[in-house]
Amino acid sequence: MSTSGNRSLKIVIIGPPGSGKGTQARLLAARLGVPHISVGALLRAEIVAGSPLGERVDGAVAAGELVADADIATVLREALQSAAARDGWILDGAPRTEAQAAALAPLLESHDSHAALVIALEAPEEELRSRLLDRARVEDRVDDTPSVISHRLVVWAEESRPILARYEERGMLVRVDGTGDVEAIAARVLDAVDAAFAPRERDRRAGA
Ligand code: ADP
């Protein structure tokens, strides 16, 4: 596959709670051989570790509110600067606000805008809700209760979905159908990555 030869893939997977962005980001990262950076997982690890940052964000995460942009910036800075992430990464969980998108922009757009892609995973709201309720039976997340799930969906619609327009305008956005089984979605995600990067990779090899 052409994409595996590109050493600086920067891919953001964005989507509402329950869209499966964590699962798909993990699968894609393994497939492409680049690190998977999950903001939600990093925040939960800080909370479990009881770090000062973890203590600061604990209440917001439990209530389904967004964590302060400054704390997200701290977590992202550390994760994206690690040696492993230098040559590319799959990011899930950020940006969720216009401020976060602005902070990430230099990383996504600096030397080669063609090296970055934003994948938006889409699924109907009822499907999102039922997936999150199903997950609550197997995973122990304090924010997978019916009322917090509803709130997270509202927060997504009001604060995060609008930033998709920014990527759409720049031609960086690909929308992927997030319904069906995990493997079928993974295949669509991989097709989207191939379609976005293959022509560019050809140009690069041709010295363009
Ligand atoms: P989901 O997308 O299903 O809500 P995540 O694991 O991505 O799951 O996020 C869980 C919680 O962590 C969010 O509800 C929010 O409180 C916090 N969080 C994660 N990413 C961000 C972010 N980029 N900005 C602010 N808060 C965030």
Side-chain angles (χ1 to χ4, degrees):
M1 188 186 65
S2 55
T3 38
S4 58
N6 187 326
R7 291 181 68 246
S8 62
L9 295 173
K10 291 174 180 171
I11 299 174
V12 174
I13 302 197
I14 225 169
S19 59
K21 61 190 181 322
T23 301
Q24 294 301 328
R26 182 169 45 73
L27 291 172
L28 185 62
R31 182 75 194 263
L32 299 179
V34 295
H36 167 209
I37 298 167
S38 160
V39 178
L42 290 170
L43 293 175
R44 287 187 285 278
E46 295 279 345
I47 293 168
V48 168
S51 69
L53 189 144
E55 286 186 5
R56 268 201 311 279
V57 304
D58 193 8
V61 170
E65 298 287 355
L66 292 181
V67 165
D69 289 329
D71 287 324
I72 297 298
T74 302
V75 164
L76 275 184
R77 199 178 312 115
E78 286 171 14
L80 296 176
Q81 280 176 359
S82 81
R86 258 202 320 262
D87 292 325
W89 33 257
I90 313 293
L91 174 61
D92 97 69
R96 283 194 195 206
T97 65
E98 186 51 47
Q100 292 174 23
L104 265 175
L107 284 177
L108 292 175
E109 293 163 12
S110 64
H111 49 108
D112 179 7
S113 61
H114 297 310
L117 181 69
V118 177
I119 295 173
L121 272 184
E122 303 187 314
E125 181 159 330
E126 275 324 298
E127 168 88 24
L128 302 172
R129 207 181 286 276
S130 76
R131 286 180 187 174
L132 291 166
L133 288 171
D134 282 349
R135 183 172 74 185
R137 285 198 277 259
V138 283
E139 268 179 49
D140 187 24
R141 273 182 54 167
V142 290
D143 56 348
D144 281 345
T145 65
S147 67
V148 178
I149 286 169
S150 293
H151 187 60
R152 283 156 62 207
L153 290 168
V154 170
V155 170
W156 156 260
E158 289 180 353
E159 306 196 44
S160 303
R161 194 166 53 205
I163 63 178
L164 294 181
R166 153 196 273 271
Y167 297 116
E168 192 130 56
E169 281 162 16
R170 287 167 173 74
M172 295 168 69
L173 188 74
V174 182
R175 295 178 190 272
V176 170
D177 175 5
T179 62
D181 64 50
V182 168
E183 286 308 324
I185 301 164
R188 281 178 220 135
V189 168
L190 214 48
D191 282 349
V193 172
D194 255 346
F197 287 116
R200 297 159 186 180
E201 185 69 0
R202 263 200 311 275
D203 289 350
R204 195 181 65 82
R205 290 210 189 99

